[in-house]
């Protein structure tokens, strides 16, 4: 079957809740993907940073296959021999005391919200069911009813209400607005250290540090959603480390499995995580042995292949090179590590046509919102590959 047949099938039988570029991928390895016609592309999206370790990383696939032949799911009604080691390795790498395993990112965000509310009632003394959580404009935390309840993006929430109460929203990057929004019932501040879906939006220097101080002063928990920014994407293990900040809860997902299987987690202290008592939270698949085996291998690859360091070094190089491209269309180039956003001028005609043109030249990117091209290749990319891509990027940024 050719590309068009697959596209037609998907359009006929699958819901149209995405608007994908029309490339039908059938194979992938490392930073490269191949379509059904045998054409190769450099993947500069990496499945929204889930594939940081590169596609089909041999060690992660081996862990998957090996574990799949032993036991895949026990449910948490019983124990399995992968969960304990995975939790220990995850906590040792991230220097948190405890973790709770989930599957999707949105589920892990909801888990963090449940924990923060429970902490508010049991530790802070907020009257039951009156806890408030402060969120910021432009956020993306997933697609569940609760996570869209505090979205500020009309297309994410139009026609999906009524929404979950208990959230207030303030502008991103404005710590004074956060402080003003705090009441006696505030349980937590939930934020992304860099807003990926909003277009790689980097807050003003000192913002994260100020959030930490505001939380400390007001007895409020700081929750960082590092599902996209975490595990090396920005050149640090966590983006909050750029300001030396340790949130009370950090939410991770995506690259926690190297894109091989849905694995997410919330990281926290023993004091906070200990608030969950048996029966109060759970997931049939969360912490299953297949997920744990994959997660263990994925974390090992990040460390062994020095992906955080590679992201920092090559990210700096890539950002510098792209920023130097003279272009009539570019408003701003910004980034941290291998997380780079090219914001186009409003009159450039939107990022979509630039992504289509990049695709024709063998580079896969996706527009975020209307005017930003996001470059976020797998962190295993090397300099030679970046140098291969730069002329095509230069050409596209200078097209009519
Ligand atoms: C992708 C993402 C999510 C949601 O993760 P899912 O696995 O799609 O539910 C939440 N927050 C951020 C910052 C993300 O990038």
């Amino acid at each position: 079957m050719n590309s068009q047949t697959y596209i037609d099938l998907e359009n006929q039988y699958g819901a149209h809740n995405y608007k994908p570029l029309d490339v039908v991928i059938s194979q992938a390895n490392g930073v490269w993907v191949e379509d059904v016609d045998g054409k190769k592309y450099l993947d500069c999206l990496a499945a929204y940073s889930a594939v940081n370790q590169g596609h089909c990383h041999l060690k992660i696939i081996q862990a998957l296959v090996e574990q799949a032949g032993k036991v895949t799911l026990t449910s948490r009604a019983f124990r399995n021999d992968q969960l304990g080691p995975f939790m220990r390795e995850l906590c040792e790498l991230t220097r948190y005391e405890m973790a709770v395993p989930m599957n999707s990112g949105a589920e892990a965000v909801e888990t963090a919200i449940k924990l923060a509310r429970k902490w508010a009632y049991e530790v802070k003394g907020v009257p039951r069911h009156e806890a408030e959580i402060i969120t910021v404009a432009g956020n993306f935390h997933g697609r569940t009813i609760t996570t869209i309840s505090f979205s500020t993006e009309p297309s994410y929430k139009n026609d999906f209400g009524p929404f979950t109460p208990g959230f207030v929203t303030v502008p991103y990057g404005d710590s004074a607005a956060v402080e003003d929004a705090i009441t006696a019932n505030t349980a937590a501040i939930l934020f992304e250290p860099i807003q990926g879906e909003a277009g790689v939006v980097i807050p003003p220097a000192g913002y994260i540090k100020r959030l930490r101080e505001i939380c400390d002063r007001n007895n409020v928990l700081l929750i960082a959603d590092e599902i996209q920014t975490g595990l090396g994407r920005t050149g640090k293990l966590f983006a909050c480390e750029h300001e030396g900040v340790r949130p009370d809860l950090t939410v991770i997902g995506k690259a926690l499995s190297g894109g091989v299987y849905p694995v997410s987690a919330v990281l926290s202290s023993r004091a906070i995580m200990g608030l969950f008592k048996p029966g109060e939270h759970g997931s049939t698949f969360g912490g299953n042995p297949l997920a744990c085996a994959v997660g263990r291998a994925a974390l090992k690859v990040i460390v062994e292949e020095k992906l955080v360091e590679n992201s920092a070094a090559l990210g700096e190089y890539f950002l510098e090179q792209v920023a130097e491209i003279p272009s009539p269309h570019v408003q701003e180039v910004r980034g941290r590590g291998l997380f780079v956003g090219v914001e186009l001028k409003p009159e450039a005609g939107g990022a979509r046509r630039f992504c289509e043109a990049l695709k024709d030249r063998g580079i896969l990117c996706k527009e975020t919102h209307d005017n930003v091209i996001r470059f976020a290749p797998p962190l295993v990319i090397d300099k030679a590959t970046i140098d291969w891509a730069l002329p095509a990027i230069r050409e596209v940024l200078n097209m009519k």
Side-chain angles (χ1 to χ4, degrees):
M1 291 204 283
N2 63 14
S3 288
Q4 197 54 51
T5 318
Y6 291 105
I7 293 166
D8 292 343
L9 275 178
E10 186 181 321
N11 284 342
Q12 187 178 351
Y13 294 105
H16 294 189
N17 54 327
Y18 279 87
K19 190 186 166 199
L21 293 183
D22 281 335
V23 51
V24 182
I25 297 164
S26 56
Q27 281 200 73
N29 192 264
V31 298
W32 299 98
V33 301
E34 193 178 318
D35 72 10
V36 290
D37 302 320
K39 185 172 176 196
K40 276 194 163 194
Y41 303 84
L42 174 64
D43 182 359
C44 279
L45 181 66
Y48 301 94
S49 296
V51 191
N52 285 1
Q53 295 88 336
H55 288 277
C56 296
H57 194 292
L58 204 61
K59 287 188 175 160
I60 307 177
I61 298 301
Q62 269 169 356
L64 174 88
V65 169
E66 198 177 302
Q67 187 61 41
K70 289 181 180 165
V71 57
T72 56
L73 185 60
T74 55
S75 86
R76 299 288 303 276
F78 311 117
R79 299 183 190 270
N80 71 70
D81 69 352
Q82 293 297 311
L83 180 59
F86 179 39
M87 294 294 97
R88 180 179 71 183
E89 287 155 20
L90 180 59
C91 288
E92 282 179 356
L93 177 67
T94 60
R95 293 177 298 112
Y96 275 99
E97 290 174 341
M98 292 180 93
V100 56
M102 299 298 288
N103 311 285
S104 72
E107 265 183 323
V109 172
E110 296 234 3
T111 301
I113 290 168
K114 286 173 77 174
L115 262 177
R117 285 179 169 181
K118 200 161 199 292
W119 174 86
Y121 305 133
E122 293 190 8
V123 178
K124 184 167 175 171
V126 172
R128 185 177 259 186
H129 299 173
E130 286 180 26
E132 292 164 7
I133 291 176
I134 299 171
T135 63
V136 289
N139 70 73
F140 181 78
H141 296 291
R143 299 295 196 161
T144 58
I145 294 290
T146 290
T147 53
I148 64 164
S149 292
F150 44 81
S151 171
T152 55
E153 181 60 32
S155 68
Y156 295 172
K157 60 194 300 186
N158 281 348
D159 286 334
F160 298 125
F163 301 113
T164 309
F167 299 95
V168 294
T169 304
V170 301
Y172 188 54
D174 182 348
S175 55
V178 171
E179 189 136 38
D180 288 345
I182 287 180
T183 71
N185 291 344
T186 303
I189 299 166
L190 168 65
F191 80 112
E192 297 156 86
I194 295 176
Q195 291 185 327
E197 291 318 294
V200 192
V201 178
I202 302 173
Y207 176 66
I208 303 173
K209 213 177 216 155
R210 284 193 292 276
L211 290 186
R212 180 70 270 176
E213 288 160 7
I214 290 166
C215 285
D216 290 343
R217 253 201 322 277
N218 293 280
N219 194 26
V220 165
L221 300 180
L222 186 63
I223 309 176
D225 179 343
E226 294 245 22
I227 291 168
Q228 191 161 158
T229 51
L231 302 175
R233 174 51 61 190
T234 71
K236 301 267 187 196
L237 187 65
F238 292 122
C240 285
E241 292 173 16
H242 288 288
E243 296 199 1
V245 167
R246 169 127 305 225
D248 301 292
L249 297 100
T250 291
V251 187
I252 55 175
K254 295 203 166 108
L256 185 51
S257 72
V260 167
Y261 194 87
V263 187
S264 65
V266 180
L267 308 166
S268 192
S269 62
R270 194 167 305 281
I272 294 170
M273 199 62 79
L275 295 170
F276 271 152
K277 295 292 176 322
E280 291 177 343
H281 189 60
S283 161
T284 302
F285 280 85
N288 75 73
L290 196 57
C292 294
V294 164
R296 295 177 71 186
L299 292 177
K300 219 167 155 187
V301 169
I302 292 172
V303 176
E304 282 179 359
E305 300 188 14
K306 299 196 168 20
L307 296 187
V308 182
E309 295 82 347
N310 199 51
S311 176
L314 289 186
E316 194 181 348
Y317 174 70
F318 184 62
L319 181 68
E320 211 177 81
Q321 293 293 311
V322 174
E324 271 178 12
I325 296 175
S327 159
H329 303 302
V330 174
Q331 177 92 33
E332 186 189 33
V333 180
R334 53 180 177 254
R336 290 265 188 287
L338 281 166
F339 201 36
V340 172
V342 176
E343 182 166 346
L344 303 170
K345 292 178 182 163
E347 62 272 22
R352 178 76 180 198
R353 68 185 190 97
F354 291 86
C355 292
E356 300 275 6
L358 283 166
K359 186 196 89 171
D360 293 340
R361 290 163 178 78
I363 298 173
L364 293 184
C365 288
K366 185 72 167 62
E367 73 276 12
T368 71
H369 285 278
D370 289 337
N371 288 319
V372 179
I373 312 169
R374 167 178 30 193
F375 289 94
L379 306 183
V380 293
I381 197 167
D382 57 19
K383 182 168 175 295
T385 308
I386 289 177
D387 287 337
W388 169 86
L390 285 169
I393 296 170
R394 194 168 299 129
E395 208 176 285
V396 167
L397 290 179
N398 279 287
M399 67 185 194
K400 285 258 174 316

